[in-house]
Amino acid sequence: MNTSLPTPSEPHALDLSIGGMTCASCVGRVERALRKVPGVQDATVNLATESARVQFAAPEGGDAAMDALLRRAVRNAGYEPLTPAASAAREQDESPWAGFTPVAIGLLLSAPLVLPMVGDLFGVHWMLPAWLQFVLATPVQFVLGARFYKAGWHAARALSGNMDLLVAIGTSAGWGLSVWLWLTAHPGHTPHLYFEASAVVVTLVLLGKWLEARAKRQTTAAIRALHGLRPDVAHLLGKGGEVDVPIAEVMVGDRLVVRPGERIPVDGELREGQTQVDESMLTGEPLPVAKEPGGLLTGGSINGEGRIVLEVHAVGAETVLSRIIRLVEDAQAAKAPIQRLVDQVSSVFVPVVLVIALLTLLGWLWAGVGAETALIRAVAVLVIACPCALGLATPAAIMAGTGVAAKHGILIKDAQALELAHKVDTVAFDKTGTLTVGQPRLAVLVVAPGLDEAAVLRDAASLQSGSEHPLARAVVQAARDRALEVPAPDGVRAVPGRGSDGEVQGRSYLLGSLRWMEELGVALGPLAGRARALQDEGATVSALVRRVAQGLELQALMAFGDEPKPGAREALALLRARGIRTVMISGDNRGAALAMAQRLGLDAQDVRAEVLPGDKAAQVVALQQGEAGQSRTVAMVGDGVNDAPALAAADVGMAMGNGTDVAMHAAGITLMRGEPRLVAAALDISHRTVAKIRQNLFWAFAYNVAGIPLAALGYLNPVVAGAAMALSSVSVMTNALLLKRWRM
């Protein structure tokens, strides 16, 4: 539990960690319980992070009293309020196989019970003795399945139903009938028992719960990756020199030292030194940003050059990185539309089945058929209503769909994204690294009149040959593309935040930004207009000047730009052909964004330029709200940390596999090859998978709707009911496996 300190202008807030939630109905039940607490204004439960955020008015006993009341409400609702220590211990358990032991035990115990069914297909009788079936099935039913009884009991107390209650009732009916038939059988006669049905259903549902828990742990990986951007220790500059202190002890106004290659610990203002800062982890843009005294520094970015001193402006929750983390946490609310529908239907289905079974028992007793016959027919109703197919309908299709998608480079980690992607009518793309290559290239070289272009490029490449700056690499690569021989430079000196100074074969050059040239008083002359035009187009412009007797003489202008990814234009055209709107969101100036949009075939009204990192999520929300009150289903495609809040806020988040881990963890879908064309493929497999889910749910309910009346009227004995139940599961699995035939 974390407590955020409120201000007088806003309500108090508490964050609670909650254990034991399994589905969307659990979320609703916890929210209702929390909102009933006196003083609570709002409560939002996040299934992905298994936490709740509660806003409340100032209580008489302080926050501690409200904390106790909220925890008591959670416990009374049937769930476990976790302490900070317990919550931290759970987060440290990141093994992908955590919690698989019960599933493995269930598989081992259920396998001998299933083998006789396989033998019957070949006319071989492998039926185990009744006592051995009992020994194998009972631990599965009551030890491994205890969680279903507990969750089902709490659901029943709340006068609601869920899948846990259905599993508990259905499997208990199969187990209880088997025990009854075994104990009442004539000596020497072995009746047909249903231990295998109860054991297999419990095991399969446990497997589904384990897969769901793995997915939940993956959703929180984005938060952990963002926290990893902050260093644990800062170099505090005091009267006695540098002292290493924990980041939690840093206060506003402190002065911190950041060495080359280190991450900037908190937000602040540069006071001493000059440097190039790699902000790509926060902005998504690949070009380092020059920083001079007075410039703002963002925590989580990397200091590229030289020792600098910054003055702290924001710490803790007020930093840009912390706000991004909060945006991801807020946006990652669990939504499961189809599963929510199943839970809603189950809440009605369960009492209906119980009433029908009771009426069946009483009706046949009144008809005078005897207690045993009446009980068998009532149990047949419960067996045919066992939620095996209903429980498999959604996960079977999802597993098949995600499996075939993975083979084609589409990694679907969030079932919710798969369920929602078929509704997408708007796709928003980040520009740099998503629609573009993300590597600057020398796009335009304009030499001064009378100079040889190849010679100028050769000397510029020589001057930049020893630098790791992205723009320097672009110059060297351009020379290589022209097969120019690049001589070794002499006395090259890096000028932080400005450029390079050195000699090439006895000629002295300077290469750097136009701002540096302005400081040096370099006249651009006839190329001034060209420089402004290139900047208006969004290019990054540098100048090469030579030292001569008269001073500094302009040699060339170099404009750097990014290139669209191969197939990006075709991918956007394919989406538009399917009736899907495509939008580009970029932090670049509008000129650069519009220029790239033209190359990609996008209209100007579908371009969102000059968007700050923290505002991308707001742009997604605006697209979701639509125009004229028409809401839209939006997919966001990105690759950088700055895209993480937008990926989480979107109905469907898609991360490029060539991007950052944070973006991929925040997104429900990862495009492993980083190809924009995979976006359309992901939407298509989603559409087909959801179609299979709906078909499976229809057939699962069809078996129940058709079978329950027949069982109640006595036309189905438990053996036939069990076979019908098994057939329903087979049909659901077979229909789901048809997804393996999907091709891009």
Side-chain angles (χ1 to χ4, degrees):
M1 189 272 296
N2 299 319
T3 304
S4 57
L5 296 177
T7 64
S9 61
E10 64 181 11
H12 292 227
L14 285 173
D15 290 344
L16 298 172
S17 296
I18 302 172
M21 296 188 297
T22 60
C23 62
S25 62
C26 299
V27 171
R29 195 175 306 132
V30 174
E31 287 182 346
R32 289 192 297 270
L34 292 173
R35 289 168 180 168
K36 289 180 180 178
V37 176
V40 171
Q41 299 175 346
D42 190 25
T44 303
V45 177
N46 189 327
L47 184 60
T49 59
E50 295 185 312
S51 64
R53 179 171 300 162
V54 184
Q55 293 184 340
F56 55 93
E60 295 182 0
D63 288 359
M66 178 58 71
D67 183 27
L69 289 173
L70 295 175
R71 291 179 177 275
R72 181 68 59 83
V74 171
R75 191 173 298 280
N76 292 338
Y79 303 93
E80 182 182 2
L82 301 177
T83 63
S87 181
R90 287 170 47 138
E91 291 180 359
Q92 292 176 357
D93 186 12
E94 300 179 4
S95 171
W97 294 98
F100 187 72
T101 301
V103 180
I105 296 174
L107 291 173
L108 290 174
L109 294 177
S110 300
L113 297 172
V114 177
L115 285 177
M117 299 176 62
V118 178
D120 289 342
L121 298 176
F122 302 96
V124 181
H125 298 287
W126 292 341
M127 185 63 65
L128 300 177
W131 68 269
L132 185 55
Q133 294 184 50
F134 175 83
V135 170
L136 292 172
T138 300
V140 178
Q141 181 69 43
F142 296 105
V143 179
L144 301 182
R147 57 177 294 176
F148 303 119
Y149 287 98
K150 181 180 178 181
W153 168 245
H154 289 297
R157 287 180 56 191
L159 301 178
S160 64
N162 57 13
M163 294 303 300
D164 292 327
L165 184 59
L166 285 172
V167 169
I169 293 174
T171 57
S172 298
W175 185 90
L177 177 62
S178 299
V179 173
W180 170 267
L181 294 176
W182 176 31
L183 296 178
T184 58
H186 299 294
H189 173 69
T190 303
H192 182 84
L193 305 178
Y194 306 94
F195 287 119
E196 79 284 348
S198 63
V200 170
V201 169
V202 169
T203 301
L204 289 176
V205 177
L206 282 175
L207 178 60
K209 296 289 186 182
W210 174 72
L211 293 172
E212 179 184 344
R214 283 189 67 185
K216 281 194 238 181
R217 285 196 295 272
Q218 289 176 348
T219 62
T220 61
I223 307 299
R224 293 194 296 271
L226 285 169
H227 282 294
L229 296 180
R230 296 185 293 203
D232 297 327
V233 177
H235 311 305
L236 178 64
L237 185 62
K239 295 181 179 179
E242 297 181 22
V243 180
D244 290 348
V245 298
I247 196 70
E249 297 181 10
V250 175
M251 298 184 294
V252 175
D254 287 344
R255 292 204 170 197
L256 306 178
V257 174
V258 185
R259 298 160 186 162
E262 292 183 341
R263 290 196 180 276
I264 296 171
V266 293
D267 297 352
E269 181 179 339
L270 181 60
R271 290 301 188 186
E272 298 179 14
Q274 296 176 340
T275 186
Q276 297 272 343
V277 177
D278 181 3
E279 297 181 341
S280 59
M281 295 295 289
L282 295 171
T283 66
E285 305 300 332
L287 300 180
V289 180
K291 298 291 184 179
E292 297 180 342
L296 298 179
L297 301 172
T298 305
S301 56
I302 301 174
N303 177 30
E305 300 175 354
R307 176 183 179 273
I308 62 173
V309 177
L310 67 91
E311 182 178 326
V312 179
H313 282 183
V315 297
E318 300 302 318
T319 63
V320 172
L321 182 59
S322 295
R323 290 199 295 269
I324 291 178
I325 292 173
R326 177 62 70 177
L327 285 172
V328 175
E329 290 176 336
D330 291 343
Q332 273 192 336
K335 296 171 287 190
I338 293 181
Q339 192 59 49
R340 187 182 299 119
L341 174 62
V342 172
D343 286 336
Q344 290 174 349
V345 173
S346 300
S347 65
V348 179
F349 187 67
V350 173
V352 169
V353 170
L354 290 175
V355 170
I356 294 175
L358 180 61
L359 292 176
T360 300
L361 177 63
L362 297 176
W364 285 110
L365 287 175
W366 181 77
V369 299
E372 181 176 345
T373 301
L375 181 61
I376 290 177
R377 291 176 178 178
V379 170
V381 172
L382 294 176
V383 172
I384 196 69
C386 183
C388 185
L390 193 61
L392 289 173
T394 299
I398 289 176
M399 292 176 65
T402 55
V404 70
K407 292 182 179 180
H408 292 83
I410 304 168
L411 180 60
I412 303 173
K413 300 181 293 183
D414 186 356
Q416 168 195 325
L418 188 67
E419 294 178 8
L420 291 177
H422 78 288
K423 300 179 181 178
V424 168
D425 54 18
T426 303
V427 179
F429 290 87
D430 173 56
K431 183 180 78 69
T432 304
T434 303
L435 291 174
T436 67
V437 178
Q439 298 175 353
R441 291 177 172 267
L442 180 60
V444 179
L445 176 61
V446 184
V447 300
L451 298 181
D452 181 64
E453 183 176 302
V456 171
L457 178 58
R458 179 197 62 206
D459 290 352
S462 175
L463 188 66
Q464 301 283 61
S465 59
S467 175
E468 293 298 321
H469 194 284
L471 297 184
R473 293 197 297 267
V475 174
V476 174
Q477 186 60 48
R480 290 175 180 172
D481 294 342
R482 298 193 185 188
L484 300 177
E485 291 187 12
V486 180
D490 298 316
V492 177
R493 179 178 65 91
V495 183
R498 287 166 173 76
S500 301
D501 182 356
E503 293 185 358
V504 179
Q505 295 181 338
R507 297 182 294 273
S508 180
Y509 290 103
L510 291 84
L511 196 161
S513 65
L514 294 185
R515 182 179 56 188
W516 188 26
M517 298 299 128
E518 184 179 353
E519 294 174 358
L520 297 173
V522 177
L524 300 183
L527 300 184
R530 182 63 166 152
R532 288 193 298 270
L534 290 171
Q535 286 183 319
D536 292 340
E537 293 173 2
T540 301
V541 183
S542 299
L544 176 69
V545 300
R546 180 183 174 185
R547 285 191 179 92
V548 295
Q550 296 80 12
L552 298 176
E553 184 180 85
L554 180 66
Q555 301 290 290
L557 295 176
M558 297 181 176
F560 301 89
D562 210 350
E563 292 293 320
K565 281 186 176 180
R569 184 183 179 96
E570 292 77 9
L572 296 176
L574 178 60
L575 290 171
R576 290 194 297 272
R578 297 186 178 185
I580 298 175
R581 181 187 180 188
T582 54
V583 178
M584 184 177 74
I585 302 176
S586 175
D588 284 345
N589 64 73
R590 186 158 185 82
L594 289 176
M596 183 56 66
Q598 185 177 8
R599 299 180 67 180
L600 294 169
L602 289 173
D603 296 331
Q605 64 264 26
D606 292 328
V607 177
R608 305 290 186 270
E610 301 176 1
V611 180
L612 297 175
D615 295 335
K616 287 190 176 183
Q619 290 289 333
V620 171
V621 173
L623 289 172
Q624 290 172 324
Q625 294 172 350
E627 302 170 356
Q630 281 188 330
S631 61
R632 306 181 74 91
T633 304
V634 178
M636 175 68 192
V637 188
D639 69 323
V641 174
N642 68 309
D643 301 323
L647 291 171
D651 298 284
V652 180
M654 299 187 186
M656 293 293 187
N658 60 328
T660 66
D661 291 339
V662 176
M664 288 185 280
H665 286 308
I669 300 176
T670 298
L671 310 178
M672 299 300 294
R673 296 196 300 273
E675 296 181 7
R677 288 173 291 187
L678 291 180
V679 175
L683 297 180
D684 183 62
I685 186 61
S686 168
H687 176 78
R688 295 176 184 270
T689 302
V690 170
K692 291 297 181 185
I693 291 175
R694 291 173 173 172
Q695 294 170 11
N696 287 347
L697 289 175
F698 170 79
W699 286 112
F701 282 113
Y703 277 102
N704 292 135
V705 171
I708 290 176
L710 293 176
L713 294 173
Y715 294 106
L716 291 180
N717 59 36
V719 176
V720 178
M725 181 190 66
L727 182 60
S728 67
S729 301
V730 172
S731 66
V732 164
M733 293 297 298
T734 303
N735 190 46
L737 291 175
L738 292 176
L739 286 169
K740 291 187 174 183
R741 299 162 54 185
W742 179 82
R743 297 291 184 271
M744 288 182 58

